[in-house]
Amino acid sequence: MCTGGCAKCLGTTLIPLAVLCTLANILLFFPGGKVVENNEHITDEVWYFGGILGSGVLMIFPALVFLGLKNNDCCGCCGNESCGKRFAMFSSIIFAAVGLVGAGYCFIVSALALNRGPKCHTGTEWTYPFQDGDYLSNHTLWNACKSPENIVPWNLTLFSLLLIMSGIQVVLCGIQVVNGLFGTICGDCKCCGCCG
C-alpha cells in the first residue's frame, strides 16, 4: 500500500473520532443531561475543552492533511523530489505531532477528571466528594451526589469515551509519524521500487 493511501485511511478514521470527542465534551456541559442553573456547578475539567479543542479542533487539521496526501499521483511522482511528494509526507509528520499533542491533552484531562470525579451537590454544598478515584470501584459512594441526578454515571461514561477515543487518536497519529517517515525516506509507493 502507498504511504499516501495509509495516511488517507488514518484521516478517514480521525474525522469521526474528532466529531464524537467534540460532542462528548459538549454533552458534559449538561450534567446528568440537564441544563444547570449556575456554570460553577459544572465539573472544572469540562471547561478545559479537552474534547473540543484537543481531540476535536486540533485533530481536524491532521486528518485533512492525511486525506489530501492520497490525492497526488502515486507512481507519477515516486522518487522525484521536485514533485514535492517526500516533502508532503514529511509535513504530515508535523501535523501528526500536532494531533498527538491535542489527543494527548484530551487524554490527560479525561484521566484527571475520572480520577477526581464529578462536581455535585452533596445535600449541603457543591463540591467534589470523591478522593483519588475511590468512587470507581465503590458504587455505594455515588450516593454522596444528591444532584444533578445521575451525574456520576454521566461524567464517568463521557470522560471514559473521551479517554478511549483520544487514546485511539494518539495511536493513529503515532502510526502516521512512522508512515510519514517511510514516505519521506522511501517515497510514496513501494510499487515504483523506491525502497528497493
Side-chain angles (χ1 to χ4, degrees), residues 9 32 43 62 70 75 98 103-104 107 136 139 168-169 179 189:
C9 180
T43 303
K70 180 62 178 168
C75 293
V98 170
F107 187 88
L136 295 171
H139 293 196
I168 292 169
Q169 288 175 329
N179 182 49
C189 285

Side-chain angles (χ1 to χ4, degrees), residues 7 14 41 45 53 57 66 78 117-118 122-123 128 136 144 150 153 185:
L14 286 172
H41 298 165
E45 287 80 8
L53 293 178
V57 173
F66 300 166
C78 192
T122 58
Y128 295 92
L136 295 171
N150 298 320
I185 294 168

